Amino acid sequence: MPTLLKVNDLKKYFEVNKGLFGRQKSVVKAVDGINLDVIEGETIGLVGESGCGKSTTGRLLLRLIEADQGEIIYKGQDLRKLDNESLRKTRKDMQMVFQDPYGSLNPRLSVGEIIREPLRTHFNMNKEEQQKRVKELLDVVGLNQRYINRYPHEFSGGQRQRIGIARALALNPKLIIADEPVAALDVSIQAQVLNLLKDLQKDLNLTYIFIAHDLSVVQYISDRVAVMYLGKIVEIANSETLYKNPQHPYTKALLSSIPVPDPTVKRERILLEGDVPSPLNPPSGCSFHTRCPFAEQRCKEETPSLLTVADQHKVACHLVN
Amino acid sequence: MENLLEVIDLKVTFPTSKGRIRAIDGVNFKVKKGEILGIVGESGSGKSISSLSIMGLISDQGQVEGKILFNDENLLNKTEVEMRKIRGDKISMIFQDPMSSLNPVFTIGNQISEAILLHNKGVTKKEAVEKTIELLKLVGLPSPEQRIHDYPHKFSGGMRQRAMIAMALACEPELLVADEPTTALDVTIQAQILELLKEIQMKLGMSIILITHDLGVVAETCHRVAVMYAGHVVEETDVYTLFANPKHPYTKGLINSLPKLGSRERLTPIQGQPPQLYDDLTGCRFASRCPFVSAECLENEQVIAEVTKGHFVRCHKEVG
Amino acid sequence: MNPVLKKQQTPPVVDLNAIDNIGEKTEGFYKVSFDKLRKNKLAMFGLYVILLNIIMAVFAPLIAPHDPTEMFVKNRLEAPSSQFFMGTDEFGRDIFSRIIYGAQISLKVGIISVGIGIFFGVFLGLISGYFGKLLDNVISRFMDVLFSFPDILLAIAIMAVLGSNITNVMIAIGIVSIPIFARITRSAVLSVRESQFIEAAKSTGVKDIVIIFRHILPNISAPIIVQSTLSLAFAIIAEASLSFLGLGTQPPSPSWGLMLNTGRGFMETSPWVAIFPGLAIMITVLSFNVLGDGLRDALDPRLKKD
């Protein structure tokens, strides 16, 4: 399968003013050197705890936030070098589904207007063609066409998320970046939306970058999973491999922390000490060494790089490589 | 085992511009001494309203009926002054967002020792501070002697929740109501807090009501579970039976909706959306989403009944 | 490029469950807000007084018993009577008729000057809030400078430069109203700008100008509407003050402020000359203020859920 999107050494540092008059500047390394190949037709999951940079990564790829360094290669060109007009055109191919089903739809526009907007922006279609297309999209995401003139507040969370998905599909994108698309939904509704995303992928040959904090959700929907910690990918592998044979201590701890809905399962739980360190002062060396139960002297000094340990399986850990 | 708390036919309604909403409509459950009861349900199921009713924190607009027996005394008959005393001494509560319950202008130590002084007459300031440090040690806060001088904003989310738990334990309550205590936390921190709750429950022998939307949290933490849907308890049983032999179609649907680690098998979601809880509801509230629905379900409302020992279900099909 | 989805052979991939389960049709934002406003008695009183004012202004020739400039030389400074409801002034003009015609001036000055304030203020607020950075800094500092003058002093200074006539009154009050609209708009833009739906619009490639006017402006209408009513009250007071000082509307036009000024001299002998225009100003301004307060509550999205 060909590579759809190639990300090389992507970095984003935020400056934060501190001190009484904002004189002290500190740097948050939100995304600190991400390398990623997204293969056409696959779902790649980005998973990690809050502050690990997964959402920022998603926004950097679409240039909703400008990166400081690195390349985002799509169709042979670096998206970061595109001027505004060509960027606008390329965005047709890459769309986003957002987390907040309430905040991501303009409350003053009807559902029809919301889904029509991308069409008006990019295509030369008349009113009837647009209307036809909007109805078609409502069908595809499982919403009744009758509701085309209703406003977002009349819909439930799951239905709103379907509207957001319809908007993203309007331009026939190749790649959809889904940022926590089911985090705000109840379990029963979450399963509906996950199934919808899976079906759409099959029918429309979509590629997904699926960003979430919930490893069981990511694992369910993704072909490959990248685990992030403090702005870096620490492990990337096939979904099954990651579950059956996790290598990085952080992945192991994350997996063992997920509560399993089966009281008969008694697991050896790896309880991590303390909290995620502030990205303002990330630890030296391996950023996980402050919480890692196996940390050695070397982990404090040298930053491990992401190395291949088996086919399609890369880990950034001194103890593994 | 003795019942510490018994909720009998609890009903809570709220007026809205479109008519009364029956947020809770005839809810029964018990909490035994020394057990962790999980109340699980999705948003709007009434799980939080149940806990607020127990605490006597429903706003004046809401109408509360039924009985809440705590040590055989009906809490609904208490005055506001009596309730305030009970809330401090016998029942404590921790919330989803610890920051909203901590006062940002006082130090953590200050707030906890304040709670101790308020509810224990005759305790000196010094003793209260010592007790505070002891409590913070109990909840696993590193170097509590220094941290008592910190303000809440210096604490991370997990540490704030620990501090909240310490404050809730300040007057050694018999019942701790925890409303989604780990929902705002990352999984690795959630694991820490859940371990902590289990640990202090064992140590202090109190009862806990754990309110959550996460079946995984229930399975790992609770002894017994009440599943709520649209203002009803639809199933109540011990945690092993619930997962091994769920009876109510909603419980089954909920378990099937969950992605399971290590499996990528297609999920079977529950169809449709939960109903709106206006006055004119008839029949079973799950009927519109239930795959086994029959005419009877649409007409008559089934009451909750014991189908096997200790296993209560609210469904025509199971009760017969 | 064909924008239509790949044709699907099988029926669309839908869990049919999502269909047909939408809440009932609910009312729009403005309808709900107006229903809430209707419950506020004080605000409704304000609204009625303002409507009365508008009717007075529009139908002045039909309502007024006399011409506002006609002098009944024999009836100078006459106390209220059946012929002259509110008495006459020092030239024998009917005060009641002058007050009715005065509503025209007050409302005209109010609406046009607030219109100027909204047009420029909202525009400046939108671009400074949306684009930020240097542009924001320049605009905001300039507004701060305008803000640092007391409103009425600034209006007087502008009048002194432009010269006193009614057009210049409107321009002066309009300029004075710009900073408050700019500031309110800017802060509303800042809170809406971070919404996910703005990000969503950007990610589909929508142009900035469309985002500003289609996505942001409709979502910040509430504070602008509230401020408009309060600014209208200010404009009416300011016009009256300028006229009172002799800088605004010139005699013989029946401006309430001007009438108040001339009446001042006869306070001891013929108090009605000053009292009635004073009351007219007070009631009108009060009405706009209570309406503004009521609107603020009714349009507040935080109180929206019941």
Side-chain angles (χ1 to χ4, degrees):
Chain A
M1 275 298 216
T3 304
L4 183 70
L5 187 79
K6 194 171 168 57
V7 180
N8 290 328
D9 200 28
L10 196 64
K11 286 184 183 171
K12 177 68 192 177
Y13 295 172
F14 290 107
E15 273 191 1
V16 179
N17 291 333
K18 274 178 84 181
L20 195 52
F21 298 102
R23 291 233 200 96
Q24 287 165 275
K25 287 231 161 83
S26 338
V27 175
V28 176
K29 297 183 177 180
V31 174
D32 196 13
I34 297 263
N35 293 293
L36 200 63
D37 288 347
V38 183
I39 296 158
E40 207 174 322
E42 76 165 346
T43 300
I44 184 157
L46 288 186
V47 70
E49 298 180 281
S50 46
C52 73
K54 55 188 191 302
S55 288
T56 310
T57 306
R59 284 167 170 74
L60 289 177
L61 297 183
L62 285 183
R63 277 186 64 187
L64 285 171
I65 306 174
E66 296 293 343
D68 293 326
Q69 200 189 311
E71 292 175 317
I72 307 164
I73 313 272
Y74 175 75
K75 280 189 181 163
Q77 47 184 350
D78 186 355
L79 292 185
R80 287 196 56 220
K81 298 201 175 104
L82 292 183
D83 60 66
N84 276 345
E85 202 42 42
S86 348
L87 175 69
R88 248 168 45 82
K89 295 213 172 101
T90 320
R91 273 188 178 153
K92 253 188 342 212
D93 288 355
M94 309 164 76
Q95 288 294 299
M96 190 147 180
V97 174
F98 293 86
Q99 170 176 9
D100 179 2
Y102 294 87
S104 59
L105 305 177
N106 186 342
R108 299 298 169 82
L109 295 183
S110 71
V111 170
E113 287 170 313
I114 289 171
I115 302 175
R116 196 177 301 127
E117 178 150 69
L119 302 175
R120 298 196 332 175
T121 313
H122 288 283
F123 299 129
N124 208 355
M125 293 166 97
N126 63 30
K127 266 264 157 70
E128 280 100 75
E129 286 172 327
Q130 288 178 357
Q131 193 78 356
K132 189 166 156 269
R133 173 80 172 132
V134 170
K135 287 188 172 167
E136 201 176 278
L137 286 162
L138 285 174
D139 244 2
V140 170
V141 296
L143 285 171
N144 196 317
Q145 301 180 351
R146 274 192 291 142
Y147 300 133
I148 193 163
N149 291 322
R150 296 284 189 95
Y151 287 85
H153 71 268
E154 298 170 51
F155 293 84
S156 68
Q159 290 167 329
R160 286 167 189 236
Q161 208 54 304
R162 287 171 193 267
I163 299 168
I165 293 170
R167 171 177 56 194
L169 291 177
L171 298 173
N172 280 334
K174 301 219 163 40
L175 173 72
I176 287 188
I177 297 177
D179 184 14
E180 299 267 17
V182 296
L185 305 178
D186 277 323
V187 181
S188 65
I189 310 296
Q190 170 180 309
Q192 294 175 2
V193 173
L194 287 175
N195 280 353
L196 173 68
L197 286 172
K198 272 204 161 181
D199 293 341
L200 290 172
Q201 175 167 46
K202 209 165 55 198
D203 285 24
L204 307 173
N205 192 26
L206 296 168
T207 307
Y208 289 144
I209 296 178
F210 192 97
I211 300 166
H213 69 280
D214 186 338
L215 194 49
S216 43
V217 167
V218 171
Q219 227 248 161
Y220 168 70
I221 197 147
S222 307
D223 303 305
R224 288 193 300 145
V225 178
V227 180
M228 290 185 68
Y229 189 78
L230 283 177
K232 291 195 173 87
I233 293 178
V234 296
E235 182 160 9
I236 181 165
N238 286 329
S239 192
E240 274 103 76
T241 317
L242 192 88
Y243 171 69
K244 293 205 181 97
N245 188 19
Q247 294 291 314
H248 198 283
Y250 178 65
T251 315
K252 289 180 186 170
L254 207 56
L255 276 165
S256 81
S257 298
I258 296 172
V260 174
D262 184 353
T264 55
V265 177
K266 288 281 171 264
R267 285 175 309 164
E268 196 59 34
R269 174 171 278 174
I270 307 169
L271 270 188
L272 290 181
E273 294 282 313
D275 297 301
V276 182
S278 155
L280 261 179
N281 298 304
S284 60
C286 171
S287 49
F288 186 59
H289 83 254
T290 53
R291 300 173 80 197
C292 182
F294 316 107
E296 294 173 352
Q297 191 53 38
R298 184 180 168 206
C299 303
K300 295 177 192 166
E301 290 153 8
E302 289 170 50
T303 310
S305 38
L306 194 64
L307 298 174
T308 307
V309 291
D311 184 35
Q312 300 244 5
H313 191 170
K314 293 180 182 175
V315 183
C317 177
H318 291 306
L319 302 166
V320 176
N321 295 320
Chain B
M1 251 189 298
E2 229 181 305
N3 286 338
L4 177 70
L5 182 89
E6 197 173 354
V7 173
I8 303 166
D9 203 25
L10 183 69
K11 291 181 180 169
V12 181
T13 61
F14 292 95
T16 70
S17 53
K18 284 187 255 161
R20 290 197 87 77
I21 287 219
R22 295 192 280 174
I24 296 187
D25 201 18
V27 156
N28 298 286
F29 61 84
K30 334 181 223 323
V31 186
K32 297 187 179 119
K33 282 206 169 132
E35 81 167 353
I36 304 182
L37 172 77
I39 300 184
V40 65
E42 302 182 285
S43 45
S45 62
K47 55 190 195 301
S48 287
I49 306 269
S50 305
S51 68
L52 292 175
S53 316
I54 295 168
M55 300 299 289
L57 292 175
I58 298 282
S59 74
D60 291 342
Q61 286 190 328
Q63 227 178 56
V64 187
E65 287 167 45
K67 279 185 197 159
I68 300 175
L69 300 180
F70 180 73
N71 283 330
D72 296 325
E73 284 180 75
N74 189 355
L75 294 183
L76 293 182
N77 293 339
K78 301 274 180 203
T79 62
E80 180 50 41
V81 178
E82 288 170 321
M83 268 321 284
R84 208 173 294 151
K85 184 116 183 62
I86 290 171
R87 272 204 293 271
D89 285 351
K90 306 268 171 63
I91 311 178
S92 306
M93 187 158 179
I94 51 177
F95 297 90
Q96 177 176 341
D97 175 15
M99 201 55 196
S100 63
S101 354
L102 289 168
N103 188 333
V105 300
F106 291 106
T107 63
I108 294 283
N110 217 321
Q111 296 186 54
I112 299 176
S113 46
E114 187 83 355
I116 297 170
L117 287 169
L118 202 66
H119 290 284
N120 299 289
K121 292 272 140 36
V123 175
T124 64
K125 261 221 169 119
K126 194 159 163 264
E127 284 167 341
V129 172
E130 275 164 15
K131 179 92 191 285
T132 304
I133 293 172
E134 197 181 299
L135 281 169
L136 288 174
K137 244 181 221 153
L138 178 73
V139 297
L141 198 80
S143 53
E145 292 86 352
Q146 281 101 59
R147 299 313 298 248
I148 56 167
H149 303 296
D150 279 344
Y151 289 89
H153 69 90
K154 286 215 172 171
F155 277 40
S156 67
M159 274 158 44
R160 276 179 212 149
Q161 199 54 286
R162 282 175 197 271
M164 272 309 297
I165 294 172
M167 202 187 298
L169 297 178
C171 35
E172 290 155 18
E174 291 172 55
L175 177 65
L176 179 69
V177 181
D179 190 353
E180 302 265 13
T182 57
T183 306
L185 304 174
D186 280 320
V187 262
T188 57
I189 312 296
Q190 163 170 294
Q192 295 170 359
I193 298 289
L194 292 179
E195 284 302 316
L196 171 68
L197 280 177
K198 283 197 277 189
E199 210 180 283
I200 52 173
Q201 191 274 329
M202 297 267 264
K203 251 188 225 167
L204 308 177
M206 62 183 174
S207 308
I208 297 180
I209 298 180
L210 181 69
I211 290 159
T212 177
H213 67 280
D214 188 336
L215 281 173
V217 169
V218 168
E220 298 217 337
T221 325
C222 303
H223 303 126
R224 271 187 333 110
V225 192
V227 181
M228 286 194 73
Y229 181 76
H232 285 155
V233 171
V234 293
E235 187 158 4
E236 182 193 340
T237 181
D238 68 272
V239 71
Y240 292 99
T241 316
L242 187 87
F243 286 96
N245 191 14
K247 293 272 189 202
H248 197 282
Y250 174 68
T251 317
K252 288 179 194 167
L254 211 53
I255 294 173
N256 289 334
S257 298
L258 278 179
K260 277 154 210 76
L261 265 182
S263 147
R264 301 189 62 201
E265 224 172 283
R266 191 175 170 85
L267 302 172
T268 22
I270 304 175
Q271 314 290 316
Q273 321 274 338
Q276 293 191 307
L277 305 176
Y278 293 113
D279 256 343
D280 50 2
L281 276 180
T282 52
C284 173
R285 295 186 168 188
F286 189 59
S288 65
R289 305 175 75 187
C290 183
F292 314 108
V293 65
S294 67
E296 196 188 8
C297 306
L298 296 170
E299 282 155 25
N300 304 315
E301 204 175 280
Q302 173 63 46
V303 291
I304 194 159
E306 195 164 13
V307 287
T308 55
K309 183 147 178 39
H311 194 164
F312 299 83
V313 184
R314 189 172 198 141
C315 177
H316 284 296
K317 291 266 150 36
E318 293 302 326
V319 180
Chain C
M1 134 123 233
N2 171 20
V4 178
L5 277 181
K6 255 186 12 180
K7 259 281 160 274
Q8 281 155 18
Q9 274 73 37
T10 43
V13 280
V14 176
D15 355 22
L16 287 160
N17 58 73
I19 292 187
D20 275 39
N21 213 336
I22 178 182
E24 54 201 290
K25 175 101 185 146
T26 48
E27 285 128 3
F29 176 74
Y30 291 105
K31 171 88 171 66
V32 173
S33 301
F34 185 68
D35 284 346
K36 244 197 303 180
L37 185 69
R38 273 219 303 241
K39 288 185 191 144
N40 185 338
K41 290 210 181 73
L42 202 59
M44 287 314 283
F45 166 78
L47 186 63
Y48 290 137
V49 172
I50 291 161
L51 288 177
L52 196 73
N53 251 305
I54 293 171
I55 291 168
M56 261 165 45
V58 174
F59 298 105
L62 298 177
I63 301 169
H66 305 284
D67 185 288
T69 48
E70 188 183 351
M71 299 182 197
F72 298 90
V73 189
K74 287 184 197 149
N75 309 69
R76 276 189 292 191
L77 291 174
E78 194 167 289
S81 65
S82 58
Q83 197 195 353
F84 306 106
F85 288 138
M86 295 179 179
T88 58
D89 64 9
E90 75 276 24
F91 299 113
R93 293 175 297 197
D94 177 30
I95 293 179
F96 180 58
S97 303
R98 287 178 69 74
I99 284 185
I100 289 173
Y101 276 92
Q104 286 182 337
I105 296 177
S106 289
L107 287 181
K108 191 165 95 184
V109 170
I111 289 166
I112 292 178
S113 56
V114 170
I116 294 172
I118 290 178
F119 185 83
F120 291 102
V122 169
F123 177 74
L124 290 172
L126 279 172
I127 59 174
S128 77
Y130 184 76
F131 292 106
K133 298 186 184 148
L134 185 68
L135 191 64
D136 179 30
N137 250 322
V138 172
I139 293 174
S140 295
R141 291 302 81 75
F142 182 62
M143 291 302 138
D144 287 346
V145 171
L146 285 184
F147 248 129
S148 62
F149 294 104
D151 290 341
I152 204 73
L153 270 184
L154 184 59
I156 289 171
I158 297 170
M159 287 307 292
V161 176
L162 297 177
S164 16
N165 65 46
I166 186 142
T167 316
N168 292 344
V169 170
M170 295 188 275
I171 293 173
I173 299 173
I175 292 174
V176 172
S177 324
I178 291 173
I180 185 78
F181 281 105
R183 198 174 264 194
I184 281 179
T185 306
R186 177 177 173 273
S187 68
V189 171
L190 287 182
S191 66
V192 174
R193 193 181 65 172
E194 302 303 320
S195 310
Q196 268 186 9
F197 66 84
I198 302 293
E199 216 178 3
K202 278 188 194 162
S203 73
T204 45
V206 179
K207 289 181 175 151
D208 285 334
I209 187 91
V210 180
I211 291 180
I212 291 176
F213 286 101
R214 188 175 155 90
H215 291 280
I216 294 183
L217 192 56
N219 279 294
I220 59 169
S221 56
I224 296 174
I225 291 171
V226 172
Q227 185 55 45
S228 306
T229 55
L230 301 176
S231 284
L232 270 163
F234 165 75
I236 290 169
I237 284 246
E239 185 273 330
S241 314
L242 289 175
S243 303
F244 182 86
L245 296 172
L247 287 166
T249 327
Q250 296 303 312
S253 64
S255 154
W256 292 344
L258 202 59
M259 289 163 73
L260 189 67
N261 185 18
T262 48
R264 197 172 45 120
F266 312 100
M267 224 19 222
E268 277 163 26
T269 51
S270 324
W272 55 88
V273 182
I275 284 176
F276 288 112
L279 275 178
I281 294 171
M282 194 196 88
I283 291 172
T284 309
V285 168
L286 188 70
S287 300
F288 275 111
N289 278 327
V290 293
L291 179 65
D293 280 345
L295 280 173
R296 192 195 313 257
D297 294 341
L299 292 169
D300 189 344
R302 273 169 306 171
L303 308 168
K304 202 102 216 129
K305 295 209 180 85
D306 39 10

